[in-house]
Amino acid sequence: MNVRFIFFKAFALCAILVLSSCQSKEEKLISKINDLAEQIEKNGKDWDAQDWMEVSNEYAQICMVASKCEFSEEQQEEFIKAGVNLTAAFTANAPNAYSNVLAEGVEAYSKELAKGMEALSDELVDDEEDMDDEEDMDDEDSDDEIEDNGQLKVYSNCYDGYLNIRAEPTSKSKILGTLPNGPEGAELLGVEGKWSKVRVNGVVGYIWSADVQSTPTEPVFISASDVVGEWALHNEFSYRVKSNGKFEFYDAEIDETRQGTWYLSRNSIVFKFVDGDGLPTATVSGREMNFGHGAIYRKK
């Protein structure tokens, strides 16, 4: 399923086509969008990526139907307002980073739809010949806008610095390459279950949706092998960094073990305790993990 088609091709139809008369449908379409927003508010936090795609697809279908309706000026405002409310519901209830990508698509789509409807209202006051000429020009402008703004991107935020790009949407599939953390990102082509279909440097494959986000991430200059293992400070404190993104911290003074997750950022490892605030960060160089202030852990 092509996300760009869902959000932007549907927009082109909405914004450019001359609206034919179906006056009884306008209020129903607005109500349907409001109903979608209500569903998200009530149930969105329990949805997976596929549920979000289905809602996004339903919104796109509503907009395609709207392209054949004749909205009054007041109804146009209500329709756009409903789209903005739907965007807010996405943003507030998205269960993971990938859903934020969909929310951005809806937001951009709503803005472009508003522009299209405004332009279309101006066209309707002209005679039919002038309107046809303007529509041709709008077609060209909209195509350019879709080409410039329609390319949604996702970025790896995987804890160990990169994501595998696989040939099929399964962890057992062949690895075609990697998508490293950082500002490069990947072109988002669609979603299949819990996997995102992407294009990276001409390679088309699948990455795990739970480990992507919609904004650029920090690049990583060290590898997981540099940090995985046992690290100790004067035999009093120790970190046991595991390869699955988890760790254990042991305080010998009080005989207490705490747990959490870790991720890499540039030349550092960042620890996140499950039972506390703060993100202890240490620069890793060789067999030393330096938290600063003299707290240098050494690898066993």
Side-chain angles (χ1 to χ4, degrees), residues 231-240 247-259 273 297:
W231 300 80
L233 175 64
H234 307 313
N235 294 321
E236 297 176 0
F237 309 101
S238 65
Y239 281 90
R240 182 187 177 196
F247 74 90
E248 293 179 352
F249 173 76
Y250 179 64
D251 185 340
E253 291 184 347
I254 58 176
D255 192 25
E256 178 184 73
T257 299
R258 300 172 63 193
Q259 299 179 333
F273 289 95
Y297 286 67

Side-chain angles (χ1 to χ4, degrees), residues 16 119 123 133-143:
I16 298 169
E123 290 174 7
D133 293 339
E134 290 171 6
E135 284 179 9
D136 292 338
M137 295 177 62
D138 287 342
D139 280 341
E140 296 176 1
D141 293 342
S142 295
D143 288 341

Side-chain angles (χ1 to χ4, degrees), residues 20 31 51 56 89 117 122 133 137 149 184 280 283 292:
S20 61
S31 294
D51 293 322
S56 303
M117 285 188 166
D122 293 338
D133 293 339
M137 295 177 62
N149 302 323
E184 304 302 328
T283 301

